[in-house]
Amino acid sequence: MADRILVLYGSYRRDRLGIRLANYLVRNFADRGAAPELIDAKAVGLPMLDRMYKEYPDGEAPAAMAELAGKIRDADGFVFVTGEYNWGMQPGLKNLTDHFLEEWFWRPAAIASYSAGRLGGARSNSAWHGTLSEMGMVVVSSTLTVGQIGKSLDADAQPTGEGGDALENSFGRFADDLGWWIEAAREQRARRKPPY
C-alpha cells in the first residue's frame, strides 16, 4: 500500500516561490512510490479561524473544511512546507492547520522550510516542531531547509545550483525518516487503538 502523504503549503503571496518546494516534494515522494497530494491553503480558502471543524454541528461545516478533514484523517503522514515571515510561521499555513485537531492525531509530520535568504526558513522550521507536537503528531527529526529558494529550484521545481544540489542530497534521508515513522505509526494503530 502506498503511503498517503499530504504536502501542506501555506503562502498566500502573489509571487509564491515556495510552491516550487511543495511541487518538488510531491513529485519526489511519488517517484519513491508514495501517494502524495498537495494541499494549498490559498486554494482551499478557509476563513480566518472562527470555529474549528469539530465545533460545527454534523453536516454544517463549510464543504472545503469537511473535505479536508477527511483527507487529513485518511493520510498516513504529513509534510508541512513553510516559509519564514519575520522569524515566524506563515499565517496562511498556521490558520489552515488550526482548523483541525483530532484529525491530525497519531501520525508523523515532517517539516520543509524555505526562504529567499540563506537560512532557509530555519527559524520557522524550528517553531513548527512544538506546534505540531502539541497537535498530536510525531515530528520526525530530519528536516529540509532550502535557502535562496528562487535560485535552488527553477519554475518547474527542478533543482538548480548549489542549493538544488543540497536539497537533492538531503531529500533521501528526509523521505526515509518520514517513511519509517509512517510505517511504525500505521502498524501500531492496527495493533492497538490510540488511547484518546
Side-chain angles (χ1 to χ4, degrees), residues 4-181:
R4 295 165 298 180
I5 301 171
L6 296 185
V7 176
L8 299 117
Y9 175 65
S11 176
Y12 278 63
R13 294 175 65 101
R14 181 176 303 160
D15 299 315
R16 307 185 307 166
L17 294 180
I19 194 71
R20 297 176 183 187
L21 180 55
N23 289 331
Y24 169 89
L25 293 168
V26 168
R27 182 180 67 238
N28 281 271
F29 275 111
D31 288 349
R32 292 172 64 97
E37 180 180 352
L38 175 62
I39 303 296
D40 182 346
K42 185 176 181 180
V44 173
L46 296 182
M48 288 301 295
L49 181 62
D50 172 34
R51 284 184 160 185
M52 295 176 70
Y53 175 70
K54 68 180 182 177
E55 295 171 328
Y56 284 91
D58 285 345
E60 293 186 21
M65 190 183 299
E67 181 181 356
L68 183 52
K71 289 180 179 185
I72 294 169
R73 278 192 305 270
D74 291 343
D76 295 310
F78 312 104
V79 177
F80 289 81
V81 180
T82 179
E84 181 176 306
Y85 291 6
N86 300 316
W87 285 37
M89 298 176 175
Q90 279 176 326
L93 185 57
K94 181 70 165 68
N95 182 62
L96 179 133
T97 304
D98 285 340
H99 277 84
F100 308 97
L101 185 59
E102 290 86 354
E103 292 79 12
W104 302 111
F105 285 5
W106 308 108
R107 265 84 44 81
I111 303 166
S113 62
Y114 64 91
S115 68
R118 60 186 174 81
L119 296 181
R123 291 170 290 229
S124 175
N125 194 313
S126 180
W128 273 101
H129 275 261
T131 298
L132 299 180
S133 293
E134 173 62 19
M135 298 182 80
M137 291 169 257
V138 173
V139 182
V140 305
S141 62
S142 296
T143 64
L144 294 177
T145 53
V146 182
Q148 298 181 318
I149 186 71
K151 295 180 180 178
S152 297
L153 290 165
D154 68 17
D156 296 319
Q158 295 297 327
T160 61
E162 290 180 16
D165 290 344
L167 174 59
E168 290 276 84
N169 290 334
S170 300
F171 176 76
R173 178 178 174 159
F174 177 81
D176 287 344
D177 198 355
L178 181 62
W180 192 95
W181 282 104

